[in-house]
Amino acid sequence: MEKLNILVLDDDRLAQKIMTMQLAEHNTDTAGDLKTVLKKIETGRYDIGFFDLMLGPEDDHSGLKAIAAAAEKGIYCVVVSSSDSEEIIDRAYELGARDFYAKGNEESNVADILRKFAAGRKAAAAADIFTSAFITQDPETRAMVTEALKYAPTDLPIMILGPSGTGKTSLANILHDHSGRPGAFVSINCSAYTEDLLEAELFGYRKGAFTGAADSRKGRLLEAHKGTLFLDEIGTMSPNMQMKLLKAIEERIFHPLGSDKPERSDFRIISATLEDPQKLIAQGKMRFDLFQRVHGYTINLKPLSRRPGDIAPLMLHFTRSGRRLSFTREAKAFMESYAWPGNVRELKKFTDLLSSGSDGRVGLEEAKKHLRGEAAAAGGQEPRAGDDGLYRYALEHGLEAALAKVSDEMIARNLNENGGVRTKTMTDLKISTRLLYSTLKKLGLDTKGDKK
Amino acid sequence: MTEENSKLLHDLRSKCSSLKSAAELYKDCSPAEKKEMLALMNSAAAEITKILAQLSQS
């Protein structure tokens, strides 16, 4: 954590000494009476102020005046008191106090307040993130990431959902950078390993644990000690592996392969999956108890086709140290309506191709040349829960009617794609005979046809 | 409870909290700091005794 300038107001010299020791890593200034503290507030520059309210047995909460003065100067004011009425605490908040803690247990109280202060500062700096580390102008995405940054300094597990190439790993890395955890950011893509290899990668192994284990190796869990373990595509992990991981998460203790000696690791989990975890649970692909352990806060990253306003700033970011590109109006319109199935990753590749090959001014044909073969404009047209049209429909007709509309459209589309073979549609969409036939009836389609 | 007693109790709680926190920090202090802490803790203890005397008289 950066070194902060902190002001402590307390008439008790022992309390001053305790706070100075607790805040030893920072520049701490103390005051024991109102006159001194007001002068310090006026002339000094402080990030945080810890204020006792009653300055002596005969005092009538004169610490409140210090809070008002400090809050006016933008100092993060914390009330420190052994016992005060709710009325006094409310008054302190009205005057600008941001936090309160009861005297005693200073070690955890002070650490907790410093952590909250740092988180608030980081969240305020989030706007910078959106123009440098995680480029987006989409208000919904910005709000979600800003909210997630508030949880970055906590131990709360975070789950990032979203299609491939939307920046899940980048976001996990940013969350780690804002966590204040001194350990490393350790990332592993669970889909890249077989069950045995994944176990060896995560837990490590001793020499001779299996054929080919010529040397002992530290696992990712241990590498992430006091840091962050990012489990990408967690939904692809086998149930057996999920059980082992769950045990390690719960106990923070595990055994490397071939070892009797337990290892301990204090890691924070951030996970990501392409698929809806609820669906994975329903399909028996994800253990519910593991899901509960890894999904404290959930971020859902939208595909690029649903935030076309991010295309231009992202391209600007990708070309910031190289050749700038400009696009004709037609090329821009094409790019904004393109499906971008590979999302930001595909856009990066596209930008690299244009930067190295084109003449700087990109027309429609040039853009199409590099994006051909992809279903242009298809992904953006499919019904999605976030679609304005569907949302307006839900507002007008109710959520149940909107969900029924989605269900009808899915079934009709699948039937059409299957040439009307109903059993295939029931299998594809995992729906009951009853739902299929009630939909056919509702849509006025033949329910007595011979296509099974 | 009178207002006088309420203020005394507030002061008592405050001093006791400080004394408890100081006792927790004491073991990690340098010899010089230990000396300073002991002086402050003694002073706090004396004030606690004074408050208790005031409370018993009220």
Side-chain angles (χ1 to χ4, degrees):
Chain A
M1 182 185 278
E2 63 179 310
K3 207 166 193 171
L4 301 169
N5 294 317
I6 299 175
L7 178 61
V8 175
L9 169 64
D10 203 309
D11 63 307
D12 181 354
R13 283 188 56 220
L14 183 58
Q16 282 184 16
K17 176 70 185 166
I18 291 161
M19 287 299 279
T20 308
M21 287 179 75
Q22 293 293 354
L23 298 163
E25 288 173 25
H26 304 278
N27 302 319
T28 309
D29 205 355
T30 57
D33 58 79
L34 185 64
K35 194 178 162 194
T36 311
V37 80
L38 288 177
K39 186 153 192 179
K40 282 181 186 282
I41 290 168
E42 196 188 326
T43 54
R45 288 187 68 179
Y46 302 100
D47 300 298
I48 307 180
F50 288 91
F51 299 102
D52 187 14
L53 297 182
M54 271 180 72
L55 306 175
E58 302 306 318
D59 186 62
D60 190 20
H61 301 98
S62 62
L64 289 171
K65 290 178 186 160
I67 288 175
E72 203 166 288
K73 288 202 77 178
I75 299 170
Y76 186 91
C77 300
V78 181
V79 180
V80 182
S81 190
S82 49
S83 60
D84 274 301
S85 67
E86 267 186 45
E87 190 190 339
I88 295 296
I89 302 299
D90 287 347
R91 181 82 188 114
Y93 276 108
E94 277 169 22
L95 289 170
R98 305 281 295 278
D99 219 328
F100 169 88
Y101 86 77
K103 270 189 182 176
N105 199 15
E106 264 70 20
E107 191 175 355
S108 72
N109 280 332
V110 169
D112 189 43
I113 281 165
L114 293 183
R115 212 171 21 240
K116 276 200 253 176
F117 173 78
R121 218 176 222 197
K122 289 274 166 63
D128 293 340
I129 287 170
F130 300 129
T131 53
S132 59
F134 195 85
I135 316 290
T136 181
Q137 292 188 347
D138 180 61
E140 207 181 315
T141 306
R142 280 189 170 208
M144 226 171 338
V145 174
T146 303
E147 186 67 16
L149 284 171
K150 290 182 189 165
Y151 297 108
T154 70
D155 291 334
L156 191 77
I158 293 178
M159 182 174 254
I160 309 172
L161 309 179
S164 181
T166 43
K168 296 190 289 292
T169 307
S170 301
L171 182 56
N173 217 331
I174 290 167
L175 289 169
H176 170 72
D177 287 344
H178 286 71
S179 70
R181 296 182 73 88
F185 174 75
V186 179
S187 168
I188 183 165
N189 187 327
C190 304
S191 72
Y193 299 90
T194 60
E195 184 176 333
D196 290 347
L197 280 176
L198 184 61
E199 187 174 1
E201 276 296 318
L202 284 174
F203 300 121
Y205 51 84
R206 290 282 166 266
K207 185 179 175 180
F210 51 84
T211 313
D215 289 303
S216 294
R217 192 174 154 186
K218 199 160 60 160
R220 305 285 175 104
L221 261 63
L222 205 54
E223 283 175 10
H225 180 54
K226 292 190 181 294
T228 302
L229 179 67
F230 177 53
L231 297 165
D232 198 5
E233 300 205 33
I234 192 172
T236 61
M237 209 181 269
S238 73
N240 187 35
M241 195 58 227
Q242 288 183 33
M243 197 176 69
K244 289 176 183 172
L245 178 65
L246 176 68
K247 196 166 177 290
I249 292 173
E250 282 175 342
E251 297 172 4
R252 303 281 155 178
I253 290 174
F254 58 92
H255 288 85
L257 296 179
S259 170
D260 292 334
K261 192 182 153 212
E263 298 278 9
R264 178 179 287 275
S265 178
D266 166 27
F267 53 88
R268 190 257 189 96
I269 294 263
I270 299 181
S271 59
T273 172
L274 308 172
E275 295 163 274
D276 176 5
Q278 297 292 353
K279 197 170 140 192
L280 291 172
I281 293 166
Q283 291 171 348
K285 290 180 183 170
M286 186 177 217
R287 291 178 64 105
F288 181 65
D289 43 12
L290 177 67
F291 171 71
Q292 280 185 310
R293 278 285 179 185
V294 298
H295 97 297
Y297 179 73
T298 304
I299 307 168
N300 207 335
L301 291 178
K302 288 196 244 176
L304 187 58
S305 59
R306 284 179 58 201
R307 41 187 178 105
D310 284 350
I311 292 172
L314 275 165
M315 291 187 90
L316 195 65
H317 177 69
F318 295 147
T319 55
R320 68 193 181 283
S321 55
R323 189 172 169 203
R324 290 289 161 96
L325 299 165
S326 81
F327 296 85
T328 63
R329 195 187 300 166
E330 294 78 19
K332 270 186 196 164
F334 173 73
M335 283 156 53
E336 282 175 7
S337 63
Y338 179 65
W340 298 107
N343 293 295
V344 181
R345 196 176 293 134
E346 186 183 9
L347 180 66
K348 170 82 171 69
K349 192 178 142 199
F350 173 68
T351 312
D352 289 346
L353 281 168
L354 290 176
S355 299
S356 54
S358 80
D359 61 1
R361 177 77 173 160
V362 183
L364 179 62
E365 288 313 307
E366 181 74 5
K368 274 185 170 175
K369 188 172 84 185
H370 294 297
L371 295 175
R372 71 181 169 196
E374 308 291 358
Q381 306 305 313
E382 289 178 8
R384 285 179 298 246
D387 272 358
D388 279 354
L390 191 57
Y391 180 63
R392 278 196 296 275
Y393 188 91
L395 288 178
E396 198 175 328
H397 302 279
L399 180 63
E400 210 171 312
L403 294 175
K405 183 176 158 64
V406 172
S407 170
D408 293 348
E409 287 177 9
M410 296 277 171
I411 292 170
R413 179 177 166 174
N414 189 266
L415 268 173
N416 189 37
E417 286 175 3
N418 287 336
V421 181
R422 292 167 200 156
T423 45
K424 181 146 179 26
T425 291
M426 285 193 286
T427 310
D428 284 352
L429 299 178
K430 297 167 189 67
I431 56 171
S432 64
T433 317
R434 193 173 165 181
L435 176 61
L436 177 73
Y437 279 83
S438 66
T439 307
L440 290 174
K441 199 170 172 183
K442 192 168 29 167
L443 298 176
L445 299 172
D446 181 17
T447 56
K448 296 190 177 74
D450 54 6
K451 283 185 177 168
K452 300 293 177 193
Chain B
M1 193 179 4
T2 63
E3 194 187 339
E4 174 76 6
N5 271 2
S6 170
K7 282 190 173 178
L8 280 173
L9 285 171
H10 177 278
D11 215 20
L12 181 65
R13 268 192 293 261
S14 178
K15 297 257 183 299
C16 288
S17 296
S18 295
L19 203 53
K20 179 177 165 281
S21 296
E24 280 162 8
L25 285 170
Y26 184 76
K27 65 177 189 311
D28 298 323
C29 289
S30 65
E33 272 180 330
K34 274 184 179 166
K35 203 173 163 190
E36 187 193 352
M37 281 284 259
L38 268 181
L40 289 168
M41 287 163 82
N42 265 317
S43 167
E47 284 176 56
I48 290 171
T49 309
K50 204 169 127 191
I51 296 167
L52 291 174
Q54 283 177 283
L55 276 173
S56 56
Q57 280 169 10
S58 61

